[in-house]
């Protein structure tokens, strides 16, 4: 919702928080965690393109709770 991927319109932290029933600070924290994860995955992908032999060592999974 923050980036407008749901309905084509970007929403504020407050709007997303109201929709999900959480505070806007928690929305910001979740957004930050997601961006960190995306950056980590992209870094690994860049590394694997340079070193294809290392692909067997990476087994990426989404964090479980």
């Amino acid at each position: 919702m923050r980036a407008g991927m749901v309905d084509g319109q970007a929403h504020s932290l407050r709007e997303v928080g109201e929709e999900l029933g959480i505070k806007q600070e928690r929305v910001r924290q979740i957004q930050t965690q997601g961006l960190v994860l995306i950056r980590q995955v992209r870094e690994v992908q860049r590394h694997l393109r340079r070193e294809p032999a290392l692909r067997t060592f990476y087994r990426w999974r989404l964090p479980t709770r």
Side-chain angles (χ1 to χ4, degrees):
M1 289 179 68
R2 286 282 293 146
M5 296 175 74
V6 174
D7 59 3
Q9 181 179 2
H11 296 275
S12 68
L13 292 171
R14 183 182 306 162
E15 291 172 332
V16 175
E18 288 174 359
E19 179 74 22
L20 298 175
I22 58 178
K23 296 185 179 209
Q24 62 187 39
E25 175 61 20
R26 183 62 184 141
V27 173
R28 188 196 62 74
Q29 292 170 352
I30 293 168
Q31 175 180 317
T32 302
Q33 290 172 347
L35 291 172
V36 167
L37 181 61
I38 289 169
R39 287 184 189 113
Q40 289 173 346
V41 169
R42 288 187 62 170
E43 180 62 31
V44 169
Q45 288 172 339
R46 276 193 294 266
H47 181 70
L48 291 178
R49 279 196 295 269
R50 285 182 285 204
E51 300 290 337
L54 297 176
R55 287 185 185 164
T56 58
F57 293 111
Y58 290 101
R59 298 191 189 277
W60 285 93
R61 295 188 186 107
L62 291 174
T64 58
R65 288 192 174 243

